[in-house]
Amino acid sequence: MPMPRPNRWEDTMAGPNKKLVAAVEAYFVDLQRVRASGGATGERSYYPPLESLLHAVGATLKPKVFCVLDLADQGAGHPDFALYSARQVQKGRPRPGQVPERGVVEVKGVGNDAWLTAGSDQVSRY
């Protein structure tokens, strides 16, 4: 006997990950709090909320992904965040000399053109 088909698309999807939803909500609350302070810079003041969000998302991935803010220059410059897989991290820190296996993140202010940033010499070095 064939299985009945679901009536709605929502019936075919797993429910939302409550931890991720909470992390995204906290991210937007933190962004608003930073902006409302009146003392924020266009970019760096927003790093801590983004770091928290990246950690929360990375914890749900397989393998888990660990985020490092303000990566040391390893010859290509200083990306804002580095994303390491769990096997690259030992005792809560990336092993020395590890290249971030899951990539890097370059953050710019809202007024910057993302396409220009992505095509820049700075990003191509990463």
Side-chain angles (χ1 to χ4, degrees), residues 45-124:
S45 296
Y46 298 94
Y47 285 4
L50 181 56
E51 180 182 24
S52 295
L53 179 62
L54 291 172
H55 277 296
V57 171
T60 68
L61 301 175
K62 292 183 183 179
K64 293 187 184 319
V65 175
F66 180 78
C67 170
V68 174
L69 171 61
D70 202 23
L71 182 66
D73 188 345
Q74 296 178 348
H78 295 276
D80 297 318
F81 295 94
L83 304 173
Y84 293 92
S85 69
R87 69 177 177 212
Q88 294 185 283
V89 178
Q90 190 171 37
K91 296 182 182 178
R93 304 188 81 178
R95 294 181 183 142
Q98 291 284 313
V99 174
E101 183 179 286
R102 298 302 175 169
V104 297
V105 177
E106 181 63 33
V107 179
K108 296 294 183 196
V110 193
N112 290 75
D113 185 319
W115 292 111
L116 290 177
T117 299
S120 71
D121 289 339
Q122 176 189 16
V123 171
S124 67

Side-chain angles (χ1 to χ4, degrees), residues 17-64:
N17 181 318
K18 291 181 182 180
K19 287 183 181 180
L20 281 179
V21 170
V24 171
E25 288 173 348
Y27 172 68
F28 284 116
V29 167
D30 288 345
L31 290 181
Q32 194 279 330
R33 196 174 290 141
V34 170
R35 181 181 165 112
S37 74
T41 65
E43 179 181 325
R44 295 183 61 84
S45 296
Y46 298 94
Y47 285 4
L50 181 56
E51 180 182 24
S52 295
L53 179 62
L54 291 172
H55 277 296
V57 171
T60 68
L61 301 175
K62 292 183 183 179
K64 293 187 184 319

